[in-house]
Amino acid sequence: IPPETEALVVHVTGEQFAWNVRYARPDSKFGKTDIKLLDVQTNPLGIDRSDPDAKDDVTTLNQLYLPVNRPIIVKLRSKDVIHSFGVPEFRVKQDAIPGLNIPLWWIPTVTTEEMRRKAGHAEDWTYEIACAQLCGIGHSTMRGFVMVETPEAFQAWIDAQAAAQAPSEEGDIWN
């Protein structure tokens, strides 16, 4: 595994039936989480937004955005049952096991747009995260998507997400 200082580190947490994705920015420090703060609709990861390191964390649901040609370290977790994080085009597949934090790494070398052109894919095609473990009755709906962008496009995306998820002016209430 490459040093975390040279990679983009992303936390991916599987749950029936979704992939929760979390980015630390720009300090690369993930904020604390607390199981007491879990809320399926508003805080599925239990992020403690009172922690200064958590205030700039960015979260997405079923969407993993990555910069091309940079090592990626996914710290894979599960909230409930065994899931299997798999993206065939990256040749990565790893089980997510409750209670464990499993590192998985690769370097995406082809942007989503380049893959569309090279492979003759439709304009709306993206890399897909599939759960390859029969994780429950809704298993077939547990799909996520990966967009590989240029470093500049990735930075613009993460900056826009951070702005949209920033605390409101009234205090620590998130938009």
Side-chain angles (χ1 to χ4, degrees):
I1 295 179
E4 289 188 11
T5 56
E6 296 174 12
L8 173 66
V9 179
V10 183
H11 290 181
V12 176
T13 304
E15 70 174 291
Q16 292 177 310
F17 297 98
W19 297 104
N20 293 283
V21 180
R22 183 176 175 205
Y23 302 84
R25 48 163 280 111
D27 57 9
S28 300
K29 293 181 184 175
F30 287 92
K32 294 177 186 171
T33 59
D34 186 335
I35 196 166
K36 292 179 237 158
L37 299 174
L38 281 174
D39 182 284
V40 174
Q41 298 299 315
T42 62
N43 193 1
L45 296 173
I47 298 171
D48 182 353
R49 295 294 186 186
S50 68
D51 176 11
D53 290 332
K55 291 199 180 287
D56 60 359
D57 288 0
V58 168
T59 61
T60 62
L61 183 64
N62 296 322
Q63 296 290 324
L64 178 60
Y65 279 76
L66 304 173
V68 71
N69 295 322
R70 182 172 177 194
I72 306 301
I73 300 173
V74 166
K75 293 192 175 181
L76 193 57
R77 305 168 178 171
S78 173
K79 286 171 51 178
D80 44 28
V81 300
I82 297 173
H83 297 284
S84 186
F85 177 92
V87 184
E89 292 86 357
F90 300 148
R91 293 191 171 120
V92 296
K93 184 174 176 232
Q94 176 64 54
D95 286 348
I97 301 168
L100 296 180
N101 184 3
I102 302 169
L104 172 68
W105 82 278
W106 71 94
I107 300 173
T109 58
V110 180
T111 67
T112 301
E113 190 57 42
E114 290 170 334
M115 181 62 91
R116 288 174 181 162
R117 283 194 312 270
K118 286 181 180 182
H121 290 304
E123 201 171 287
D124 61 348
W125 179 90
T126 60
Y127 297 103
E128 183 177 335
I129 304 168
C131 182
Q133 185 71 30
L134 294 176
C135 58
I137 197 163
H139 162 74
S140 62
T141 64
M142 189 167 175
R143 298 173 57 208
F145 300 94
V146 183
M147 290 294 294
V148 179
E149 302 280 3
T150 65
E152 299 79 18
F154 172 78
Q155 191 61 51
W157 174 84
I158 197 89
D159 290 345
Q161 293 300 305
Q165 295 181 25
S168 69
E169 304 240 345
E170 291 81 39
D172 288 336
I173 300 170
W174 285 65
N175 298 330

